[in-house]
Amino acid sequence: MFIINCPYCGERDQSEFTAGGEAHIERPKQPTELSDDEWAEFLFMRKNIKGVQFERWNHAHGCRKWFNVVRDTTNDKIHAVYKMGEKPSID
Amino acid sequence: MNNKYSIFSLIKNAFTQHENWQQAWGNPEPKKEYDAVIVGGGGHGLATAYYLAKKHNMKNIAVVEKGWIGGGNTGRNTTIIRSNYLWDASAGLYDHALKIWENLSQELNYNVMFSQRGVMNLAHNLQDVRDLKRRTHANRLNGIDAVWLNTEEVKKFCPIINTSPDIRYPVLGGTLQRRAGTARHDAVAWGYARGADEMGVDIIQNCEVKGIKRSGDIIEGIETSKGFIKTKKVGVVAAGHSSVIANMAGLKLPLESKPLQALVSEPVKPIIDTVVMSNAVHAYVSQSDKGELVIGAGTDAYVSYTQRGSHDVVEGTLKAILELYPIFSRMKMLRQWGGIVDICPDASPIISKTSIKGLYFNCGWGTGGFKATPGSGDLFAHTIANDEPHKLNAAFNINRFVSGDLVDEHGAAAVAH
């Protein structure tokens, strides 16, 4: 349980948000060309990092917008929050 | 050589104030080389080592554990044991484990306090009723005992449940597996450790794996906090930390690690003599032999290795518990904790070889691994010793995420099917 600084609404309790998992997994541009191994990689395989992880969050009980968070999974400290399509500035 | 525990050894040691009991397992330094090394000294890892030594005659093996044995999820779960899973593959896997549980104390000469007090799963809406009835039929076709109870029968079996029709989660019935129950979690780790140690297995505690050494696609050994250990076979049973070890070997797994919470109340006189699980509301309750209510909650919905979990998750569980069991409203909770569970997309485990020769993974047990401990160890030992899966864990290979042949069992903690 922690506070997330939504880039649209400001600081809110984590329970207002839903986690969308690892960020920057791009949907295949040519889905019909993909092998089974590549589909498995896209759909299922995750880094599941113990440490600083890039992830997507949605402010489900607020503005309902998606954005990215850089969070340390060992202590839930958030290092950066940035909008979709932007690059993070990590402190 | 350990002494056999019996009523006679108990009496004999009583005369010397119980000061002469032998150490149940040793504290060796790692050798330079082993035939196999198991990473992770929880119940599953120790059981794997036990069956490798006992059934496959692999005695020159070690278990390395970064903390103390049984200190991870083995010591953090709610100790529920059952095998009433929907799909054939899961039913085979979990009932294999349940059959071993039934004779485990005798086999290990160690009382794991296995108590077949029954596990009841409640249905709170029409879909629950349909799903649980279907599961009952599927279980019986697989030779697993299961009965459907209507609301009155639920009330009769566990009188403290509020079966009033006007509550938020009305009880429309439930299933009961009478062979299911609980066991003493620490004793399972200790019993397997003692049994493995007796056959010559080195149990090396406070020894953290720092790296996996491979030449091409073949395992050469592991780097640990106590130095390099050469071995051709590495079996990883690291639960929530499986991805950390996989990353060391350059592998990715289809896992997400999340905190799962449990809590216990102050001890009270016997009030609930079974295990009641409520699928839809993530509320599980039983009573320990000490008298504490043992309550299981849900997982946090995000990846975290913090071993604590969110307050709102516990709050939701306790709200449901209090409505279903109004008699608990004045109970005080003593302790709350979290364990890091590794969850597969299909909520089924992985007991499998990998693309690296000599590297095996037993992971993905998610929220429901304790019940499988003996079966998991047995099948993983078979997989490591023969470099081939047993027919009972063939379906739980890692390639199912490529082939699409998933074992879609979102019933790991009897969470909604």
Side-chain angles (χ1 to χ4, degrees), chain B residues 108-184:
Chain B
L108 294 177
N109 179 229
Y110 202 100
N111 187 4
V112 299
M113 295 165 72
F114 180 51
S115 158
Q116 289 177 297
R117 59 184 69 181
V119 169
M120 188 160 67
N121 290 109
L122 299 180
H124 296 296
N125 55 49
L126 202 55
Q127 191 59 42
D128 278 359
V129 172
R130 292 187 188 118
D131 288 347
L132 289 181
K133 279 187 174 169
R134 177 192 180 204
R135 202 172 79 184
T136 308
H137 296 314
N139 289 160
R140 291 165 82 153
L141 286 171
N142 275 319
I144 294 167
D145 70 304
V147 285
W148 169 258
L149 306 179
N150 62 30
T151 307
E152 291 72 38
E153 289 165 330
V154 167
K155 182 81 179 168
K156 202 174 161 202
F157 188 69
C158 185
I160 60 170
I161 294 181
N162 179 7
T163 51
S164 159
D166 60 353
I167 62 174
R168 173 66 183 83
Y169 308 109
V171 177
L172 303 184
T175 64
L176 174 63
Q177 185 182 20
R178 291 185 194 276
R179 284 165 63 229
T182 60
R184 171 87 201 279

Side-chain angles (χ1 to χ4, degrees), chain A residues 1-2 14-15 19 21-22 36-37 40-41 44-50 53 55 57 71 73-76, chain B residues 66 241 243-244 247 252-257 301-306 308 310-312 345 401-402 406:
Chain A
M1 203 171 200
F2 41 88
Q14 168 265 313
S15 61
E22 193 179 319
D36 287 352
D37 280 316
E41 180 73 20
F44 298 127
M45 299 304 164
R46 295 293 176 263
K47 289 180 190 154
N48 194 23
I49 290 169
K50 185 181 185 182
Q53 166 161 292
E55 50 195 24
W57 285 79
R71 185 173 57 95
T73 61
T74 59
N75 55 17
D76 291 338
Chain B
K66 74 172 173 179
H241 284 69
S243 296
V244 177
N247 290 343
K252 258 207 252 178
L253 295 172
L255 297 175
E256 286 195 314
S257 295
Y302 51 87
V303 170
S304 182
Y305 288 80
T306 53
R308 50 176 186 245
S310 298
H311 182 67
D312 53 323
F401 298 98
V402 176
L406 304 180

Side-chain angles (χ1 to χ4, degrees), chain B residues 172-252:
Chain B
L172 303 184
T175 64
L176 174 63
Q177 185 182 20
R178 291 185 194 276
R179 284 165 63 229
T182 60
R184 171 87 201 279
H185 47 5
D186 295 326
V188 178
W190 298 339
Y192 273 121
R194 178 170 169 266
D197 178 88
E198 193 174 349
M199 291 182 285
V201 176
D202 280 357
I203 296 164
I204 304 158
Q205 304 186 73
N206 299 306
C207 180
E208 185 175 356
V209 172
K210 302 280 192 188
I212 306 262
K213 196 176 172 208
R214 49 187 267 205
S215 108
D217 282 337
I218 298 167
I219 284 290
E220 292 194 322
I222 54 171
E223 293 288 351
T224 75
S225 56
K226 294 191 174 184
F228 179 72
I229 300 173
K230 194 177 165 190
T231 183
K232 289 195 174 74
K233 292 188 174 193
V234 176
V236 183
V237 205
H241 284 69
S242 298
S243 296
V244 177
I245 307 280
N247 290 343
M248 290 175 189
L251 285 182
K252 258 207 252 178

